Amino acid sequence: MIYKRSSALFAEAEKVIPGGVNSPVRAFNGVGGTPIFVKEAKGAYLYDEDGNRLIDYINSWGPMILGHAHEPVVNAVIEKAKKGTSFGMPTEIETQIAELAVSMVPNIDKIRFVNSGTEACMSAVRLARGFTGKDKIIKFAGCYHGHSDSFLIQAGSGASTFGTPNSPGVTKGTAKDTLLATYNDIENVKALVEANKNEIACVIIEPVAGNMGCIPPTKGFLEALRTVCTANNILLIFDEVMTGFRLAKGGAQELYNIKADIACFGKVIGGGLPVGAFAARNEIMNYLAPIGPVYQAGTLSGNPLAMAAGLAMLTELNNKPEIFTSLAEKTAYLHTGIAKVLTENNITHTINRVGSMISIHFDDAEVVDFNSAAKGNNDIFKAFFHGLLNAGVYIAPSAFETWFITDALSYEDLDFTIAAINTVAKTL
Ligand SMILES: *Cc1c(COP(=O)(O)O)cnc(C)c1O
């Protein structure tokens, strides 16, 4: 395929935007080459600026679960836009989407809307600290909760149990309050809790990890985490920015039947517009301003266009819960097909899948945490990525990303993708 115009547009963009992109995951640093510029998209397909059609397995990193330019969502936005795009005053649609979200997600009474997943997680942690009166938090290595300071932390050296900044600009003072645990390792969590008795406000986790490839929780892990949190007066935050309204109507809380204390949302909840949200029971949510002491605000929060898109999206998912079954079936079909052709071509691999989240790791060890995810062969991934791109299949330009399956994919698209992988596998 030819990417002449994309390359030219990227060169222009680089002059005025750092790295030519407004979010680093869009750059091709992990795979080499220049990012593809999108002109438009419909259903399961992207159309780039050079006129290539690509089958899309990123789907805006999750939101387009029903496909691009999904008509009910687009129409809701158009109709709303005609009536004014922002007021900084309450609107009825905010209550409508809140009522719907509260009815779909277990164990929440109230929800506050923000503009991104980052904001949702950042605000949830502040709320947890305010509610418990404690400062420290536990996060898991390899889980992503947005780019706010408390989360940009890597494992400390030597015997230190607290983290160190993994980006310049994050202060040591901030880093010392974030403790880093190993995903799927409950003994590790217990040890951190024991070493920091009565200091931990919350544990934040992706209930299915999706930012180091897809990593399911091992059997009993989330249950054990719930038990440890309850016993130590620690709030359990499920970051469902990726899993919420994707794995089930009620997200991972419903799928695994575990009650989180605070749930964070983003991606699907905005139907492709900038929306995040965090939600909890009344006793916790009533701690928020203006009725409680924990401050949190946003000029564009609950924006009418964003709420219209989100409401249209959630309404579709609520009215047609068979979508979740259909998504899981399509993803399972893809899983079986990919495993078959990779095995036939003697390509070492591990595939992880939960519902409509799936990832391929080019290593044969079980992938259960950040260290095992990092073992994947990146040279093979690069060749795999570019091979698929040439065949018209777009996956994330990084070995650490989950594929987000959209219900707009047909079984012909899936067969085309499996055939493309078979062809590429012969070259690896
Ligand atoms: C994408 C993501 C975020 C951050 O959301 P943004 O809207 O990009 O700020 C947070 N948590 C998880 C699990 C995510 O996948």
Side-chain angles (χ1 to χ4, degrees), residues 23 61 115-119 121 143-147 206 208 210-211 239-243 265-267 275-276 404:
S23 190
W61 306 88
N115 306 289
S116 68
T118 294
E119 255 188 272
C121 296
C143 282
Y144 181 68
H145 306 293
H147 65 91
E206 290 179 66
V208 174
N211 285 287
D239 176 354
E240 299 230 36
V241 170
M242 203 179 271
T243 53
F265 300 99
K267 301 195 167 116
V275 180
F404 298 99

Side-chain angles (χ1 to χ4, degrees), residues 278-289:
F278 57 107
R281 300 183 304 276
N282 280 323
E283 54 163 341
I284 297 175
M285 289 310 271
N286 291 346
Y287 241 72
L288 272 184

Side-chain angles (χ1 to χ4, degrees), residues 183-373:
Y183 201 81
N184 279 327
D185 184 348
I186 194 67
E187 292 310 321
N188 179 226
V189 175
K190 285 182 183 165
L192 286 174
V193 169
E194 206 47 48
N196 297 273
K197 266 262 175 264
N198 301 320
E199 291 187 278
I200 299 170
C202 60
V203 172
I204 184 166
I205 187 167
E206 290 179 66
V208 174
N211 285 287
M212 41 184 168
C214 171
I215 301 187
T218 48
K219 200 166 162 26
F221 177 64
L222 295 176
E223 287 84 351
L225 203 54
R226 177 66 274 178
T227 304
V228 171
C229 286
T230 305
N232 291 279
N233 194 21
I234 294 170
L235 297 189
L236 177 59
I237 303 179
F238 270 12
D239 176 354
E240 299 230 36
V241 170
M242 203 179 271
T243 53
F245 307 101
R246 170 170 287 279
L247 296 185
K249 266 192 201 185
Q253 287 198 81
E254 178 184 323
L255 187 66
Y256 294 104
N257 192 24
I258 305 234
K259 289 179 173 157
D261 295 305
I262 306 179
C264 302
F265 300 99
K267 301 195 167 116
V268 174
I269 200 174
L273 268 77
V275 180
F278 57 107
R281 300 183 304 276
N282 280 323
E283 54 163 341
I284 297 175
M285 289 310 271
N286 291 346
Y287 241 72
L288 272 184
I291 47 175
V294 174
Y295 196 68
Q296 187 279 324
T299 300
L300 290 175
S301 293
N303 172 270
L305 300 192
M307 295 296 97
L311 181 59
M313 175 65 87
L314 296 196
T315 301
E316 289 267 290
L317 296 174
N318 191 48
N319 292 346
K320 300 177 201 156
E322 64 275 12
I323 289 171
F324 297 106
T325 317
S326 155
L327 276 164
E329 283 170 2
K330 286 177 184 176
T331 314
Y333 183 86
L334 191 65
H335 183 163
T336 307
I338 295 174
K340 181 165 176 285
V341 298
L342 288 180
T343 304
E344 281 168 5
N345 288 285
N346 297 315
I347 307 292
T348 301
H349 68 278
T350 299
I351 299 177
N352 281 354
R353 171 176 59 89
V354 178
S356 56
M357 293 163 65
I358 182 169
S359 63
I360 306 170
H361 305 262
F362 291 105
D363 189 76
D364 52 9
E366 237 192 321
V367 178
V368 295
D369 58 16
F370 182 71
N371 285 341
S372 46

